[in-house]
Structure formats: structure tokens, C-alpha cells
Amino acid sequence: IRQSCDRIDVAGGAYDATGHSVQYGYGRVNARRAVDLALPAQPLYTAVHTAIQDVPIRDFKVSRLAVAVGDTNPLQQIVVHVDIEHTYIGDLIVRLAPPTGSSVSSVVLHDRVGGSTQNLKRSFDMVSTPALANFLGISPHGTWTLKVSDRAAQDVGVIKQFSLELVV
């Protein structure tokens, strides 16, 4: 209630550094402001865009899986979910490319780590992959592409699924 008050500016209504007056307290309650301050924070709009398709990952090639996004409001948060079956994830470089025409370049999500571990099924957010913050503020509208480069011979796999969880 105190935060919703309007000061009363008349003689004798001197306010101290905390906003209190000996004569008028914290002032006159502004009912509209009190109601606005009492409302719970509005949840942000979250959309999940998913592409499901078995895209082969071949040695020394780049495989792609794309998802279309229709949202146009500036991006406030992003989480990328990938499901890749592969017999040696240490061979792989995984990038997320934003829509063509955006002012941001692709972000590396996975860069040949994990050695002989099989399969890459995980989520990437701005804590685990700080470079995703480069996408904040841009319009997500357009086609986003997951690019998987296999940089070594022998092991193969498939991109099973890729999702973007966007808060706009």
C-alpha cells in the first residue's frame, strides 16, 4: 500500500528520505496503482517448435534439420533440445543457425566432446551454452536450422528430433 501512495504537497507535508511525512504519513492511497501493484506477474508466452525426422548423419558431411517459427516478438529466452543417435559423439559438431537475415551468426552447441559416448540427447540453455544469449532481442520469425557435422570416419547416426523452446 505504501508504494501506491501519492505525496500530498501542501504546507507542512515535508517527506523524509524514506517517503514518510509526519503530517501525512506516506500520502494519499492511489487505488489504481495499489491494484496494479497487487496483480501477480504475468507469465511470459512460451512456444515450443519441434521437428521430428530421421536425418542420416554421414561421415565428413553436414546434416540439417529445420523448424519454422512464426513468432515475431523479440526473443527473451531460448532452450534447444536435441535428440541425436550416433555411435561416437566425439565426432560431432552441432550448431544452431538462426533464420536467414538475422544479424546473429550460428551458435555451437556441441564441439566434438564426449569421446566414444553414444547418443546426444540433451537440452542447451543460456547457462550451459552462454552463446545462446546472442539470440536475445531478435525476432525468431523464420527457419531455424540444426546443423550436425560429422568430422571423422566410421561412426554414423541420425538426427531424431530438435526443438526450440522460445519465450517471446
Side-chain angles (χ1 to χ4, degrees):
I1 296 291
R2 180 178 7 183
Q3 293 174 342
S4 71
C5 291
D6 293 328
R7 288 184 175 189
I8 300 171
D9 292 323
V10 293
Y15 290 86
D16 64 20
T18 66
H20 186 266
S21 164
V22 175
Q23 180 128 8
Y24 299 111
Y26 289 97
R28 181 180 313 123
V29 173
N30 180 322
R32 175 67 179 160
R33 190 176 309 138
V35 169
D36 289 344
L37 289 169
L39 291 173
Q42 296 299 312
L44 298 172
Y45 171 73
T46 302
V48 178
H49 304 275
T50 303
I52 301 172
Q53 181 180 349
D54 286 353
V55 177
I57 301 170
R58 295 191 173 85
D59 294 336
F60 303 106
K61 303 284 183 191
V62 178
S63 301
R64 294 171 173 80
L65 183 56
V67 65
V69 174
D71 301 308
T72 57
N73 290 334
L75 196 56
Q76 295 182 32
Q77 190 173 2
I78 182 170
V79 179
V80 183
H81 306 280
V82 299
D83 185 358
I84 298 171
E85 291 181 359
H86 197 272
T87 55
Y88 197 95
I89 66 169
D91 292 352
L92 305 179
I93 298 175
V94 180
R95 286 184 168 82
L96 177 63
T100 305
S102 73
S103 59
V104 183
S105 58
S106 65
V107 168
V108 174
L109 303 174
H110 174 87
D111 192 359
R112 299 187 75 174
V113 295
S116 63
T117 304
Q118 294 186 8
N119 305 329
L120 181 63
K121 184 173 184 171
R122 67 171 284 204
S123 298
F124 300 89
D125 59 20
M126 291 182 294
V127 173
S128 66
T129 312
L132 286 172
N134 295 341
F135 296 133
L136 298 184
I138 70 166
S139 169
H141 185 265
T143 302
W144 292 74
T145 307
L146 187 74
K147 299 178 180 181
V148 180
S149 303
D150 189 331
R151 297 294 180 100
Q154 296 180 347
D155 296 282
V156 294
V158 293
I159 305 171
K160 301 293 284 179
Q161 176 176 315
F162 138 67
S163 296
L164 294 175
E165 185 177 328
L166 308 176
V167 175
V168 292

Coordinates of all heavy atoms in Angstrom, one line a residue, residues 69-158:
V69 N 9.5 -21.1 -37.4 CA 8.9 -20.3 -36.3 C 8.1 -19.1 -36.8 O 8.7 -18.4 -37.6 CB 10.1 -19.8 -35.3 CG1 9.5 -18.9 -34.2 CG2 10.8 -21.0 -34.8
G70 N 6.9 -19.0 -36.4 CA 6.1 -17.9 -36.8 C 6.1 -16.7 -35.9 O 5.6 -15.6 -36.2
D71 N 6.6 -16.8 -34.7 CA 6.6 -15.8 -33.7 C 7.4 -14.6 -34.1 O 8.5 -14.8 -34.7 CB 7.1 -16.3 -32.3 CG 6.3 -17.4 -31.8 OD1 5.0 -17.3 -31.7 OD2 6.9 -18.4 -31.4
T72 N 7.0 -13.4 -33.9 CA 7.7 -12.2 -34.3 C 8.2 -11.3 -33.1 O 9.1 -10.5 -33.3 CB 6.9 -11.3 -35.3 OG1 5.7 -10.9 -34.6 CG2 6.6 -12.1 -36.5
N73 N 7.7 -11.5 -32.0 CA 8.1 -10.7 -30.8 C 9.5 -11.0 -30.5 O 10.0 -12.1 -30.7 CB 7.2 -10.9 -29.6 CG 5.8 -10.4 -29.8 OD1 5.6 -9.5 -30.5 ND2 4.8 -11.0 -29.1
P74 N 10.3 -10.0 -29.9 CA 11.7 -10.3 -29.6 C 11.9 -11.4 -28.6 O 11.1 -11.6 -27.7 CB 12.1 -9.0 -28.9 CG 11.1 -7.9 -29.4 CD 9.8 -8.7 -29.6
L75 N 12.9 -12.2 -28.9 CA 13.2 -13.4 -28.1 C 13.8 -12.9 -26.7 O 14.7 -12.1 -26.7 CB 14.3 -14.2 -28.9 CG 14.5 -15.6 -28.5 CD1 13.2 -16.4 -28.5 CD2 15.5 -16.2 -29.4
Q76 N 13.2 -13.5 -25.7 CA 13.6 -13.2 -24.3 C 14.4 -14.4 -23.7 O 15.1 -14.2 -22.7 CB 12.4 -12.8 -23.5 CG 11.7 -11.6 -23.9 CD 10.6 -11.2 -23.0 OE1 10.6 -11.4 -21.8 NE2 9.6 -10.6 -23.6
Q77 N 14.1 -15.6 -24.2 CA 14.8 -16.8 -23.6 C 14.7 -17.9 -24.7 O 13.8 -18.0 -25.4 CB 14.1 -17.2 -22.3 CG 14.8 -18.2 -21.6 CD 14.1 -18.5 -20.2 OE1 13.1 -17.9 -19.9 NE2 14.6 -19.4 -19.4
I78 N 15.7 -18.8 -24.7 CA 15.8 -19.9 -25.6 C 16.4 -21.1 -25.0 O 17.3 -21.0 -24.2 CB 16.5 -19.5 -26.9 CG1 16.5 -20.6 -27.9 CG2 18.0 -19.1 -26.6 CD1 17.1 -20.2 -29.3
V79 N 15.8 -22.2 -25.2 CA 16.3 -23.5 -24.8 C 16.2 -24.4 -26.1 O 15.2 -24.5 -26.7 CB 15.5 -24.2 -23.7 CG1 16.1 -25.5 -23.3 CG2 15.5 -23.2 -22.4
V80 N 17.3 -25.1 -26.3 CA 17.4 -26.0 -27.5 C 17.4 -27.4 -27.0 O 18.3 -27.8 -26.2 CB 18.6 -25.7 -28.4 CG1 18.6 -26.6 -29.6 CG2 18.6 -24.2 -28.7
H81 N 16.5 -28.3 -27.5 CA 16.5 -29.7 -27.2 C 16.9 -30.5 -28.4 O 16.4 -30.3 -29.5 CB 15.1 -30.1 -26.7 CG 14.5 -29.3 -25.6 ND1 14.9 -29.5 -24.3 CD2 13.6 -28.3 -25.7 CE1 14.2 -28.6 -23.6 NE2 13.4 -27.9 -24.4
V82 N 17.9 -31.4 -28.2 CA 18.3 -32.2 -29.4 C 18.3 -33.7 -29.0 O 18.5 -34.1 -27.8 CB 19.7 -31.9 -29.9 CG1 19.8 -30.5 -30.4 CG2 20.8 -32.1 -28.8
D83 N 18.0 -34.5 -30.0 CA 18.0 -36.0 -29.8 C 18.7 -36.5 -31.0 O 18.1 -36.6 -32.1 CB 16.5 -36.5 -29.7 CG 16.5 -38.0 -29.4 OD1 17.6 -38.6 -29.3 OD2 15.4 -38.5 -29.3
I84 N 19.9 -36.9 -30.8 CA 20.8 -37.4 -31.9 C 21.3 -38.8 -31.5 O 21.8 -39.0 -30.4 CB 22.0 -36.5 -32.2 CG1 21.5 -35.1 -32.6 CG2 22.9 -37.1 -33.2 CD1 22.6 -34.1 -32.7
E85 N 21.0 -39.8 -32.4 CA 21.6 -41.1 -32.2 C 22.9 -41.2 -33.0 O 22.8 -40.9 -34.2 CB 20.6 -42.2 -32.6 CG 19.4 -42.3 -31.7 CD 18.4 -43.4 -32.1 OE1 18.7 -44.1 -33.1 OE2 17.4 -43.5 -31.4
H86 N 24.0 -41.5 -32.3 CA 25.3 -41.6 -33.0 C 26.2 -42.5 -32.2 O 26.1 -42.5 -31.0 CB 25.9 -40.2 -33.2 CG 27.0 -40.2 -34.2 ND1 28.3 -40.5 -33.9 CD2 26.9 -39.9 -35.5 CE1 29.0 -40.4 -35.0 NE2 28.2 -40.0 -36.0
T87 N 27.0 -43.3 -32.9 CA 27.8 -44.3 -32.2 C 29.1 -43.7 -31.6 O 29.8 -44.4 -30.8 CB 28.2 -45.4 -33.1 OG1 28.8 -44.9 -34.3 CG2 26.9 -46.2 -33.5
Y88 N 29.4 -42.4 -31.8 CA 30.6 -41.8 -31.3 C 30.4 -40.2 -31.4 O 30.8 -39.6 -32.3 CB 31.8 -42.2 -32.1 CG 33.2 -41.9 -31.5 CD1 33.8 -43.0 -30.7 CD2 33.8 -40.7 -31.6 CE1 35.0 -42.8 -30.2 CE2 35.1 -40.5 -31.0 CZ 35.7 -41.5 -30.3 OH 36.9 -41.3 -29.7
I89 N 29.9 -39.6 -30.3 CA 29.5 -38.2 -30.3 C 30.8 -37.3 -30.3 O 30.6 -36.1 -30.6 CB 28.6 -37.8 -29.2 CG1 29.2 -37.9 -27.8 CG2 27.3 -38.6 -29.3 CD1 28.4 -37.3 -26.7
G90 N 31.9 -37.9 -30.1 CA 33.2 -37.1 -30.2 C 33.5 -36.7 -31.6 O 34.4 -35.9 -31.8
D91 N 32.8 -37.3 -32.6 CA 33.0 -36.9 -34.0 C 32.2 -35.7 -34.4 O 32.4 -35.1 -35.5 CB 32.5 -38.1 -34.9 CG 33.4 -39.3 -34.8 OD1 34.4 -39.3 -34.2 OD2 33.0 -40.3 -35.4
L92 N 31.2 -35.3 -33.6 CA 30.2 -34.3 -34.0 C 30.4 -32.9 -33.5 O 30.9 -32.6 -32.4 CB 28.8 -34.7 -33.4 CG 28.4 -36.2 -33.8 CD1 27.0 -36.4 -33.2 CD2 28.3 -36.4 -35.3
I93 N 30.1 -32.0 -34.4 CA 29.9 -30.5 -34.1 C 28.5 -30.2 -34.4 O 28.0 -30.4 -35.5 CB 30.9 -29.6 -34.9 CG1 32.3 -30.0 -34.6 CG2 30.6 -28.2 -34.6 CD1 33.3 -29.2 -35.5
V94 N 27.8 -29.7 -33.4 CA 26.4 -29.4 -33.5 C 26.2 -27.8 -33.4 O 26.6 -27.3 -32.4 CB 25.5 -30.1 -32.5 CG1 24.0 -29.8 -32.6 CG2 25.7 -31.6 -32.6
R95 N 25.6 -27.2 -34.4 CA 25.3 -25.8 -34.4 C 23.9 -25.5 -34.6 O 23.1 -26.2 -35.2 CB 26.0 -25.2 -35.6 CG 27.5 -25.1 -35.5 CD 28.1 -24.3 -36.8 NE 29.5 -24.0 -36.6 CZ 30.5 -24.8 -36.8 NH1 30.3 -26.0 -37.2 NH2 31.7 -24.3 -36.6
L96 N 23.4 -24.4 -34.0 CA 22.1 -23.8 -34.3 C 22.2 -22.6 -35.1 O 22.9 -21.6 -34.7 CB 21.4 -23.5 -32.9 CG 20.0 -22.9 -33.1 CD1 19.0 -23.8 -33.7 CD2 19.5 -22.5 -31.7
A97 N 21.6 -22.6 -36.3 CA 21.6 -21.4 -37.1 C 20.3 -20.7 -37.1 O 19.2 -21.3 -37.3 CB 21.9 -21.8 -38.6
P98 N 20.3 -19.4 -36.8 CA 19.0 -18.6 -36.8 C 18.5 -18.4 -38.2 O 19.2 -18.7 -39.2 CB 19.5 -17.3 -36.1 CG 20.9 -17.1 -36.5 CD 21.5 -18.5 -36.6
P99 N 17.3 -17.8 -38.3 CA 16.8 -17.5 -39.6 C 17.7 -16.7 -40.5 O 18.4 -15.8 -40.0 CB 15.5 -16.8 -39.4 CG 15.1 -17.2 -38.0 CD 16.4 -17.4 -37.3
T100 N 17.7 -16.9 -41.8 CA 18.5 -16.1 -42.7 C 18.0 -14.6 -42.6 O 16.8 -14.3 -42.5 CB 18.2 -16.6 -44.2 OG1 18.5 -18.0 -44.2 CG2 19.1 -15.8 -45.2
G101 N 19.0 -13.7 -42.6 CA 18.7 -12.3 -42.5 C 18.8 -11.8 -41.1 O 18.7 -10.6 -40.9
S102 N 18.9 -12.7 -40.1 CA 19.1 -12.1 -38.7 C 20.5 -11.6 -38.6 O 21.4 -12.0 -39.4 CB 18.8 -13.2 -37.7 OG 19.8 -14.2 -37.7
S103 N 20.7 -10.8 -37.7 CA 22.1 -10.2 -37.5 C 23.0 -11.0 -36.7 O 24.1 -10.6 -36.4 CB 21.9 -8.8 -36.9 OG 21.3 -8.9 -35.6
V104 N 22.6 -12.2 -36.3 CA 23.3 -13.1 -35.5 C 23.8 -14.3 -36.2 O 23.1 -14.9 -37.0 CB 22.5 -13.5 -34.2 CG1 23.3 -14.4 -33.3 CG2 21.9 -12.3 -33.6
S105 N 25.0 -14.8 -36.0 CA 25.6 -16.0 -36.6 C 25.2 -17.2 -35.8 O 24.7 -17.1 -34.7 CB 27.1 -15.9 -36.8 OG 27.7 -15.7 -35.6
S106 N 25.5 -18.4 -36.3 CA 25.1 -19.6 -35.7 C 25.9 -19.8 -34.4 O 27.0 -19.2 -34.2 CB 25.4 -20.8 -36.6 OG 26.8 -20.9 -36.9
V107 N 25.4 -20.6 -33.5 CA 26.0 -20.9 -32.2 C 26.3 -22.4 -32.1 O 25.5 -23.2 -32.5 CB 25.0 -20.5 -31.1 CG1 25.4 -21.0 -29.7 CG2 24.8 -19.0 -31.0
V108 N 27.5 -22.7 -31.6 CA 28.0 -24.0 -31.4 C 27.4 -24.6 -30.1 O 27.6 -24.0 -29.1 CB 29.5 -24.1 -31.4 CG1 29.9 -25.6 -31.1 CG2 30.1 -23.7 -32.8
L109 N 26.7 -25.7 -30.2 CA 26.1 -26.3 -29.0 C 27.0 -27.4 -28.5 O 27.0 -27.7 -27.3 CB 24.7 -26.8 -29.4 CG 23.7 -25.9 -29.9 CD1 22.4 -26.6 -30.4 CD2 23.3 -24.8 -28.9
H110 N 27.6 -28.1 -29.4 CA 28.4 -29.3 -29.0 C 29.6 -29.3 -30.0 O 29.4 -29.2 -31.2 CB 27.6 -30.6 -29.2 CG 28.3 -31.9 -29.0 ND1 28.5 -32.4 -27.8 CD2 28.9 -32.7 -29.9 CE1 29.1 -33.6 -28.0 NE2 29.4 -33.7 -29.2
D111 N 30.8 -29.4 -29.4 CA 32.0 -29.4 -30.3 C 33.0 -30.5 -30.0 O 33.9 -30.4 -29.2 CB 32.7 -28.1 -30.0 CG 33.8 -27.8 -31.1 OD1 34.0 -28.6 -32.0 OD2 34.4 -26.7 -31.0
R112 N 32.6 -31.7 -30.5 CA 33.5 -32.9 -30.5 C 33.9 -33.3 -29.1 O 35.0 -33.8 -28.9 CB 34.7 -32.7 -31.4 CG 34.3 -32.4 -32.9 CD 35.5 -32.4 -33.8 NE 36.0 -33.8 -33.9 CZ 36.9 -34.1 -34.8 NH1 37.6 -33.2 -35.5 NH2 37.3 -35.4 -34.9
V113 N 33.0 -33.2 -28.2 CA 33.3 -33.7 -26.8 C 32.5 -34.9 -26.6 O 31.6 -35.2 -27.3 CB 33.0 -32.6 -25.7 CG1 33.8 -31.4 -25.9 CG2 31.5 -32.2 -25.8
G114 N 32.9 -35.7 -25.6 CA 32.2 -36.9 -25.2 C 32.8 -38.2 -25.7 O 32.4 -39.3 -25.3
G115 N 33.8 -38.0 -26.5 CA 34.6 -39.2 -27.0 C 33.7 -40.3 -27.5 O 32.8 -40.1 -28.4
S116 N 33.8 -41.5 -27.0 CA 33.1 -42.7 -27.6 C 31.7 -42.8 -27.0 O 31.0 -43.8 -27.3 CB 33.9 -44.0 -27.3 OG 34.0 -44.1 -25.9
T117 N 31.2 -41.8 -26.3 CA 29.9 -41.8 -25.7 C 28.9 -41.9 -26.9 O 29.1 -41.3 -28.0 CB 29.6 -40.6 -24.9 OG1 30.5 -40.4 -23.9 CG2 28.2 -40.6 -24.4
Q118 N 27.9 -42.7 -26.7 CA 26.9 -42.9 -27.8 C 25.7 -41.9 -27.5 O 25.3 -41.8 -26.3 CB 26.4 -44.3 -27.9 CG 27.4 -45.2 -28.3 CD 26.9 -46.6 -28.6 OE1 25.7 -46.9 -28.5 NE2 27.8 -47.6 -28.8
N119 N 25.1 -41.4 -28.5 CA 23.9 -40.6 -28.5 C 24.0 -39.3 -27.7 O 24.7 -39.2 -26.7 CB 22.7 -41.4 -27.9 CG 22.5 -42.7 -28.7 OD1 22.8 -42.8 -29.9 ND2 22.1 -43.7 -28.0
L120 N 23.4 -38.3 -28.3 CA 23.4 -36.9 -27.7 C 22.0 -36.5 -27.6 O 21.3 -36.1 -28.5 CB 24.2 -36.0 -28.6 CG 24.3 -34.5 -28.2 CD1 25.1 -34.4 -26.8 CD2 25.0 -33.7 -29.2
K121 N 21.4 -36.7 -26.4 CA 20.1 -36.3 -26.1 C 20.1 -35.4 -24.9 O 20.3 -35.9 -23.7 CB 19.2 -37.6 -25.8 CG 17.8 -37.2 -25.6 CD 16.9 -38.5 -25.4 CE 15.4 -38.0 -25.3 NZ 14.5 -39.2 -25.4
R122 N 20.0 -34.1 -25.1 CA 20.1 -33.1 -24.0 C 19.5 -31.8 -24.4 O 19.2 -31.6 -25.6 CB 21.6 -33.0 -23.6 CG 22.5 -32.4 -24.6 CD 23.8 -32.0 -23.9 NE 23.7 -30.9 -23.1 CZ 24.7 -30.1 -22.8 NH1 25.9 -30.4 -23.2 NH2 24.6 -29.0 -22.1
S123 N 19.5 -30.9 -23.4 CA 19.0 -29.6 -23.6 C 20.1 -28.6 -23.4 O 20.9 -28.8 -22.6 CB 17.8 -29.3 -22.7 OG 16.8 -30.1 -22.9
F124 N 20.1 -27.5 -24.2 CA 21.1 -26.5 -24.1 C 20.4 -25.2 -23.8 O 19.4 -24.8 -24.5 CB 21.8 -26.3 -25.5 CG 22.6 -27.5 -25.9 CD1 21.9 -28.5 -26.7 CD2 23.9 -27.7 -25.6 CE1 22.6 -29.6 -27.1 CE2 24.6 -28.9 -26.0 CZ 23.9 -29.8 -26.8
D125 N 20.8 -24.5 -22.7 CA 20.2 -23.3 -22.3 C 21.3 -22.2 -22.2 O 22.4 -22.5 -22.5 CB 19.3 -23.4 -21.1 CG 20.1 -23.9 -19.9 OD1 21.4 -23.8 -19.9 OD2 19.5 -24.4 -18.9
M126 N 20.9 -21.0 -21.8 CA 21.9 -20.0 -21.7 C 22.9 -20.1 -20.5 O 23.9 -19.5 -20.5 CB 21.2 -18.6 -21.6 CG 20.5 -18.3 -22.9 SD 19.7 -16.7 -23.0 CE 18.4 -16.9 -21.8
V127 N 22.6 -21.1 -19.6 CA 23.5 -21.4 -18.5 C 24.6 -22.3 -19.1 O 25.8 -22.1 -18.9 CB 22.8 -22.0 -17.3 CG1 23.8 -22.4 -16.3 CG2 21.9 -20.9 -16.7
S128 N 24.2 -23.4 -19.7 CA 25.1 -24.4 -20.2 C 25.8 -23.9 -21.5 O 26.9 -24.3 -21.8 CB 24.4 -25.7 -20.5 OG 23.5 -25.6 -21.6
T129 N 25.2 -23.0 -22.3 CA 25.7 -22.6 -23.5 C 25.5 -21.0 -23.6 O 24.5 -20.6 -24.2 CB 25.0 -23.2 -24.7 OG1 25.0 -24.7 -24.5 CG2 25.7 -22.9 -26.0
P130 N 26.3 -20.3 -22.9 CA 26.1 -18.8 -22.9 C 26.0 -18.1 -24.2 O 25.3 -17.1 -24.3 CB 27.4 -18.3 -22.1 CG 27.9 -19.5 -21.3 CD 27.5 -20.7 -22.2
A131 N 26.5 -18.7 -25.3 CA 26.5 -18.0 -26.6 C 25.0 -17.9 -27.1 O 24.7 -17.1 -27.9 CB 27.3 -18.8 -27.6
L132 N 24.1 -18.7 -26.5 CA 22.7 -18.6 -26.9 C 22.1 -17.3 -26.6 O 21.1 -16.8 -27.2 CB 21.9 -19.8 -26.2 CG 22.0 -21.2 -26.8 CD1 21.3 -22.2 -25.9 CD2 21.5 -21.2 -28.2
A133 N 22.7 -16.6 -25.6 CA 22.3 -15.2 -25.3 C 22.4 -14.3 -26.5 O 21.8 -13.2 -26.5 CB 23.0 -14.7 -24.1
N134 N 23.2 -14.6 -27.5 CA 23.4 -13.8 -28.7 C 22.0 -13.6 -29.4 O 21.9 -12.7 -30.2 CB 24.4 -14.4 -29.6 CG 25.8 -14.3 -29.0 OD1 26.1 -13.6 -28.1 ND2 26.7 -15.2 -29.6
F135 N 21.1 -14.6 -29.2 CA 19.8 -14.6 -29.9 C 18.8 -13.7 -29.2 O 17.8 -13.4 -29.8 CB 19.3 -16.0 -30.1 CG 20.1 -16.9 -30.9 CD1 20.4 -18.2 -30.5 CD2 20.6 -16.5 -32.1 CE1 21.2 -19.1 -31.2 CE2 21.4 -17.4 -32.9 CZ 21.6 -18.6 -32.5
L136 N 19.1 -13.3 -28.0 CA 18.1 -12.5 -27.3 C 17.8 -11.1 -28.0 O 18.8 -10.5 -28.4 CB 18.5 -12.2 -25.8 CG 18.7 -13.5 -25.0 CD1 19.1 -13.1 -23.6 CD2 17.5 -14.4 -25.0
G137 N 16.6 -10.8 -28.0 CA 16.2 -9.5 -28.6 C 15.9 -9.5 -30.1 O 15.3 -8.6 -30.7
I138 N 16.3 -10.6 -30.8 CA 16.0 -10.7 -32.2 C 14.6 -11.3 -32.4 O 14.1 -12.0 -31.5 CB 17.0 -11.5 -33.0 CG1 16.9 -13.0 -32.6 CG2 18.4 -11.0 -32.8 CD1 17.7 -14.0 -33.6
S139 N 14.0 -11.1 -33.6 CA 12.7 -11.7 -33.9 C 13.1 -13.2 -34.3 O 13.9 -13.4 -35.1 CB 12.1 -11.0 -35.1 OG 11.0 -11.8 -35.6
P140 N 12.4 -14.1 -33.7 CA 12.7 -15.5 -34.0 C 12.0 -16.0 -35.3 O 12.1 -17.1 -35.7 CB 12.1 -16.3 -32.8 CG 11.0 -15.4 -32.3 CD 11.4 -14.0 -32.6
H141 N 11.2 -15.1 -35.9 CA 10.5 -15.5 -37.1 C 11.4 -16.0 -38.3 O 12.4 -15.4 -38.6 CB 9.7 -14.3 -37.6 CG 8.8 -14.6 -38.8 ND1 9.2 -14.4 -40.1 CD2 7.5 -15.1 -38.8 CE1 8.2 -14.8 -40.9 NE2 7.2 -15.3 -40.1
G142 N 11.0 -17.2 -38.8 CA 11.8 -17.7 -39.9 C 12.2 -19.2 -39.6 O 11.6 -19.8 -38.7
T143 N 13.1 -19.7 -40.4 CA 13.5 -21.1 -40.3 C 14.8 -21.2 -39.5 O 15.9 -20.6 -39.9 CB 13.7 -21.7 -41.7 OG1 12.5 -21.6 -42.4 CG2 14.1 -23.2 -41.6
W144 N 14.8 -21.9 -38.4 CA 16.0 -22.2 -37.6 C 16.5 -23.6 -38.0 O 15.7 -24.5 -38.2 CB 15.6 -22.3 -36.1 CG 15.2 -20.9 -35.6 CD1 14.1 -20.2 -35.8 CD2 16.0 -20.1 -34.7 NE1 14.1 -19.0 -35.1 CE2 15.3 -18.9 -34.4 CE3 17.3 -20.2 -34.1 CZ2 15.7 -17.9 -33.6 CZ3 17.7 -19.2 -33.3 CH2 17.0 -18.1 -33.0
T145 N 17.8 -23.7 -38.1 CA 18.4 -25.0 -38.6 C 19.4 -25.6 -37.6 O 20.3 -24.8 -37.2 CB 19.0 -24.8 -40.0 OG1 18.1 -24.1 -40.8 CG2 19.5 -26.1 -40.6
L146 N 19.2 -26.8 -37.3 CA 20.2 -27.6 -36.5 C 21.2 -28.2 -37.6 O 20.7 -28.9 -38.4 CB 19.6 -28.7 -35.7 CG 20.5 -29.4 -34.7 CD1 20.9 -28.5 -33.5 CD2 19.9 -30.7 -34.2
K147 N 22.4 -27.9 -37.4 CA 23.5 -28.4 -38.4 C 24.4 -29.4 -37.6 O 25.0 -28.9 -36.6 CB 24.3 -27.3 -39.0 CG 23.4 -26.4 -39.8 CD 24.2 -25.2 -40.4 CE 23.4 -24.3 -41.3 NZ 24.2 -23.2 -41.8
V148 N 24.5 -30.6 -38.1 CA 25.3 -31.6 -37.4 C 26.4 -32.0 -38.4 O 26.1 -32.6 -39.4 CB 24.5 -32.8 -36.9 CG1 25.4 -33.8 -36.3 CG2 23.4 -32.4 -36.0
S149 N 27.7 -31.7 -38.0 CA 28.8 -32.0 -38.9 C 29.5 -33.3 -38.2 O 29.9 -33.3 -37.1 CB 29.8 -30.9 -38.9 OG 29.3 -29.7 -39.4
D150 N 29.7 -34.3 -39.1 CA 30.5 -35.5 -38.6 C 31.9 -35.3 -39.2 O 32.1 -35.3 -40.4 CB 29.8 -36.7 -39.1 CG 30.4 -38.0 -38.5 OD1 31.6 -38.0 -38.2 OD2 29.7 -39.0 -38.4
R151 N 32.9 -35.2 -38.3 CA 34.2 -34.9 -38.7 C 35.2 -36.0 -38.7 O 36.4 -35.8 -38.8 CB 34.8 -33.8 -37.7 CG 34.0 -32.5 -37.8 CD 34.2 -31.8 -39.1 NE 33.6 -30.6 -39.3 CZ 34.1 -29.4 -39.1 NH1 35.4 -29.3 -38.8 NH2 33.4 -28.3 -39.3
A152 N 34.7 -37.3 -38.6 CA 35.6 -38.4 -38.6 C 34.9 -39.6 -39.3 O 33.7 -39.6 -39.5 CB 35.9 -38.8 -37.2
A153 N 35.7 -40.6 -39.7 CA 35.2 -41.8 -40.4 C 34.6 -42.8 -39.5 O 34.9 -42.8 -38.3 CB 36.3 -42.4 -41.3
Q154 N 33.9 -43.8 -40.0 CA 33.4 -45.0 -39.4 C 32.1 -44.9 -38.7 O 31.2 -45.7 -39.0 CB 34.4 -45.6 -38.5 CG 35.7 -46.1 -39.2 CD 36.7 -46.7 -38.2 OE1 36.5 -46.6 -37.0 NE2 37.7 -47.3 -38.8
D155 N 31.9 -44.0 -37.8 CA 30.7 -44.0 -37.0 C 29.6 -43.2 -37.7 O 29.9 -42.1 -38.3 CB 31.0 -43.3 -35.6 CG 31.9 -44.2 -34.8 OD1 31.5 -45.2 -34.3 OD2 33.1 -43.9 -34.8
V156 N 28.4 -43.6 -37.5 CA 27.2 -43.0 -38.2 C 26.1 -42.8 -37.2 O 26.1 -43.3 -36.1 CB 26.7 -43.8 -39.4 CG1 27.8 -43.9 -40.5 CG2 26.3 -45.2 -39.0
G157 N 25.1 -42.1 -37.7 CA 23.9 -41.9 -36.8 C 22.8 -41.2 -37.5 O 22.8 -41.0 -38.7
V158 N 21.8 -40.7 -36.7 CA 20.7 -39.9 -37.3 C 20.3 -38.8 -36.3 O 20.4 -39.0 -35.1 CB 19.5 -40.8 -37.5 CG1 19.7 -41.8 -38.6 CG2 19.0 -41.5 -36.3

